[in-house]
Amino acid sequence: MTDQNDDLLGDHMQAWSMTVDRFITHAARWNGQHELVSRQADGSIARSTWEATARRARQLSSVLAEAGIRPGDRIATMAMNSARHVEAWYGIMGYGAVCHTLNPRLFEEQLVYIINHAADRWLVADPQFAPLIEKLRPRCPTLERVVYLCGPAGLPAAAGAADYESLIEGRPVDVPWGTVGEHAPAALCYTSGTTGHPKGVLYSHRSQVLHALICAQRDTMGMSVTDSVLAVVPMFHANAWALPFTAAATGAKFVLPGARLDGASLYELLETEGVTLSAAVPTVWQGLLDYLTTNGLRLKTLRRVIIGGSAVTEGLIRGFRDGHGVEVLHAWGMTEMSPIGTISGAPPPAVGAMDDDTRLAFNLKQGRTPFGIDMKITDDDGVRLAQDGVAQGHVRVQGPAIIARYFREAEQVLDAEGYFDTGDIATIDPHGYMQITDRAKDVIKSGGEWISSVEIENVAASHPKALMAAVIGVPHPRWRERPHLIVQLRPGQQATPAEFLDWLDGKIAKWWMPDGVLFVDEMPLGATGKLDKKVLRARYAEAATVRD
Ligand code: ADP
């Protein structure tokens, strides 16, 4: 008798390796004339297409090949969002080199450390960063060449620098792409390193492709060819939340704001380019909403905004929803997760059936995990906790686009079940919504119990006079630590500590009431625009006014 299982060995389907160049090759072939719109340094607008972007990216790959760059070599970029930067991404990654995105807002010391640690061979940069790059260069011996994203006329007077346009002009477009295979590295991004040195996350082609597909799902970002997408989140910040990949995959119109992220400039782009979907951190959106309110303006085409990187406030959701009919998708993630982990957008039916205010409370949570990510919360010993919306624990995650180990570090960073500890503390409710209550390193432990600094901050920040609020733990002889509230008021406002304590009263647990309230002129922000609590603690803990 013949064996009925005789033809089961091996994969019968095509070996279609998942490399990121597939995205733009698809875009060029099927949506080639759809536009990329870039705001240039002088404020003017440049227009390109997916077809032209793919062609020019291939020309850059030819330049790299001819210059002796090998697959796997690191090519850094230091640039704001523009079509040229998109070309650089695909030109570098398509060829098989590793695109290392540098955040120009990092301290010089950190940039030097990162460039040397990555051993970057070339740096592709916006001309505006020339003064910074000239300072870094003598301390970065692996850097052989700096290419500025401009034509000959815009080239900064830096020794030995090349202009991008002259370099790619007339170069061949038939350089092979995707030859390195899907497990080869595609991109490198360093975490901001609030403790110790920055650490490198080396994304593979496979992880980038799968992450983009995870993001493209309807309940994640749900991008469509009908969308006009404004990518405000910088391409040097955790893959710009995959937008340069998802926009190419869907063939959406792609709008890139350059260095102008103020309310007026963003409003102009949103309206003139018919933007329907956009993504940025909360501070950028707050700037836009303030501008709209001050000038009595209404958004006409925008339908959805993705907000992440820090917690979204109720004011932001209401401002977009009630003022402009724009839906907020609240996203959470981190560099180590490529970065998307959860998103709070369209509610599942059980939540959708609830009244408006209750639904809004779910929108304020960081959201649910899309297919492709698994998540659990555990106690300090790694034991799983209940998903009852009450138990707080360490958020641990698993998936094909989540880190297993840092660049040039031997040890895996996974627990016994293969999950990565995000360093965030959260609850997960019975509907699957995760809500961040703290960073593990910022957690306030008072009398043996955890106090959620984030929850107090959210209530304090919703005070009409508040621009930003932070809660830090201050050592206490009896309770070990007590919360203190630090507030930056809106411009021109005055307030007393009592006003804020009254505002909190009844909205948070009694024993969570801050022992002190302090007003500051400006909050210390890190390179990715996040509040730096380490600096806050050092600077203000002792100055905190103690409540009588
Ligand atoms: P990214 O640069 O993509 O924001 P980082 O790795 O710099 O990623 O920082 C990730 C951290 O930012 C998370 O671990 C979390 O503490 C915080 N974070 C990100 N999104 C949110 C959010 N929606 N709400 C609260 N915290 C967030």
Side-chain angles (χ1 to χ4, degrees):
M1 202 178 103
T2 54
D3 182 355
Q4 299 295 313
N5 291 349
D6 59 348
D7 189 23
L8 296 176
L9 288 179
D11 191 339
H12 285 45
M13 306 311 282
Q14 297 181 10
W16 191 86
S17 77
M18 290 183 274
T19 51
V20 299
D21 50 281
R22 302 268 190 195
F23 290 129
I24 197 158
T25 299
H26 179 85
R29 183 149 151 68
W30 300 105
N31 296 296
Q33 294 318 305
H34 296 184
E35 275 186 313
L36 283 88
V37 180
S38 311
R39 167 94 68 192
Q40 314 207 79
D42 65 1
S44 64
I45 296 293
R47 292 183 186 277
S48 183
T49 62
W50 283 114
E51 185 279 322
T53 304
R55 181 165 30 83
R56 288 160 55 84
R58 282 187 171 277
Q59 289 180 307
L60 176 62
S61 295
S62 296
V63 172
L64 297 176
E66 286 165 17
I69 298 292
R70 297 157 307 183
D73 284 347
R74 270 76 60 211
I75 307 290
T77 67
M78 188 191 282
M80 303 307 291
N81 294 4
S82 69
R84 283 191 181 121
H85 197 179
V86 175
E87 291 164 18
W89 268 34
Y90 281 108
I92 295 166
M93 296 189 225
Y95 173 65
V98 176
C99 181
H100 174 200
T101 46
L102 290 170
N103 180 347
R105 297 178 196 142
L106 290 176
F107 296 122
E108 258 173 66
E109 284 307 314
Q110 287 175 316
L111 284 167
V112 167
Y113 174 86
I114 287 173
I115 293 169
N116 289 334
H117 188 269
D120 294 326
R121 287 188 66 184
W122 283 23
L123 170 54
V124 179
D126 280 343
Q128 69 173 105
F129 298 120
L132 171 62
I133 292 167
E134 281 310 291
K135 275 196 255 169
L136 303 173
R137 264 197 102 163
R139 302 171 64 194
C140 300
T142 62
L143 263 191
E144 296 161 29
R145 190 166 212 195
V146 181
V147 177
Y148 285 106
L149 290 169
C150 58
L155 188 62
D163 81 86
Y164 175 76
E165 292 298 335
S166 306
L167 215 55
I168 66 165
E169 196 188 350
R171 303 319 308 148
V173 294
D174 56 358
V175 52
W177 265 1
T179 55
V180 287
E182 66 185 33
H183 287 287
L188 177 62
C189 187
Y190 282 73
T191 60
S192 12
T194 38
T195 49
H197 279 307
K199 288 192 269 200
V201 183
L202 189 64
Y203 308 107
S204 65
H205 281 271
R206 179 177 183 271
S207 76
Q208 295 283 51
V209 170
L210 289 173
H211 175 257
L213 296 179
I214 290 168
C215 289
Q217 294 177 84
R218 171 89 184 266
D219 288 333
T220 318
M221 296 183 186
M223 199 187 288
S224 154
V225 69
T226 59
D227 275 316
S228 169
V229 180
L230 173 67
V232 184
V233 55
M235 289 166 69
F236 55 75
H237 186 186
N239 287 312
W241 306 350
L243 295 176
F245 299 136
T246 40
T250 54
K253 175 176 172 179
F254 202 31
V255 185
L256 301 135
R260 301 194 182 198
L261 307 183
D262 58 285
S265 307
L266 290 181
Y267 171 71
E268 187 196 280
L269 270 187
L270 287 166
E271 293 302 301
T272 55
E273 301 306 328
V275 171
T276 53
L277 172 66
S278 185
V281 294
T283 40
V284 169
W285 290 129
Q286 195 56 56
L288 175 74
L289 284 183
D290 290 348
Y291 174 80
L292 298 176
T293 309
T294 311
N295 295 284
L297 299 167
R298 235 187 100 80
L299 296 169
K300 292 187 208 65
T301 60
L302 190 64
R303 290 289 161 266
R304 291 176 303 141
V305 286
I306 304 158
I307 313 184
S310 321
V312 169
T313 59
E314 188 173 333
L316 216 43
I317 295 183
R318 286 194 187 279
F320 271 117
R321 194 191 64 177
D322 305 341
H324 304 274
V326 172
E327 181 192 358
V328 167
L329 305 175
H330 182 188
W332 164 85
M334 61 196 309
T335 306
E336 286 89 335
M337 301 179 73
S338 297
I340 295 299
T342 61
I343 200 148
S344 181
V351 176
M354 296 175 183
D355 66 78
D356 230 40
D357 281 350
T358 318
R359 272 207 322 270
L360 189 135
F362 281 97
N363 207 186
L364 278 169
K365 298 189 178 198
Q366 277 66 17
R368 309 174 81 232
T369 47
F371 170 75
I373 294 156
D374 192 31
M375 185 171 66
K376 63 179 178 180
I377 47 171
T378 74
D379 65 13
D380 289 343
D381 301 321
V383 176
R384 282 177 192 251
L385 296 174
Q387 297 184 186
D388 57 6
V390 178
Q392 296 181 40
H394 301 269
V395 182
R396 294 168 187 244
V397 287
Q398 188 175 57
I402 294 169
I403 192 164
R405 67 182 174 91
Y406 289 99
F407 183 44
R408 297 196 199 279
E409 294 201 7
E411 290 291 305
Q412 292 222 334
V413 285
L414 305 178
D415 69 11
E417 290 180 333
Y419 286 67
F420 167 71
D421 187 344
T422 62
D424 284 329
I425 306 291
T427 58
I428 302 177
D429 71 25
H431 296 289
Y433 282 79
M434 183 272 270
Q435 181 166 31
I436 303 274
T437 56
D438 242 312
R439 293 283 294 161
K441 62 181 177 353
D442 295 334
V443 115
I444 302 172
K445 219 168 190 182
S446 184
E449 301 267 3
W450 284 352
I451 293 180
S452 165
S453 60
V454 171
E455 210 169 318
I456 309 175
E457 284 161 7
N458 286 347
V459 178
S462 67
H463 189 291
K465 290 184 180 175
L467 187 67
M468 262 182 123
V471 171
I472 55 172
V474 173
H476 189 282
R478 171 147 181 232
W479 302 111
R480 194 177 122 174
E481 266 184 334
R482 290 293 303 153
H484 283 237
L485 173 65
I486 297 167
V487 180
Q488 181 182 344
L489 295 171
R490 289 180 175 278
Q493 293 290 348
Q494 301 266 317
T496 61
E499 274 179 79
F500 274 85
L501 294 172
D502 287 349
W503 178 260
L504 292 173
D505 196 18
K507 299 192 180 86
I508 57 169
K510 274 244 166 318
W511 64 280
W512 286 18
M513 281 303 259
D515 275 11
V517 180
L518 185 74
F519 297 103
V520 295
D521 293 338
E522 211 177 343
M523 292 284 188
L525 299 181
T528 50
K530 277 183 249 241
L531 200 75
D532 194 333
K533 287 204 178 174
K534 210 170 53 173
V535 173
L536 257 191
R537 270 192 293 266
R539 237 190 248 170
Y540 300 115
E542 283 180 15
T545 332
V546 174
R547 190 158 57 118
D548 35 64

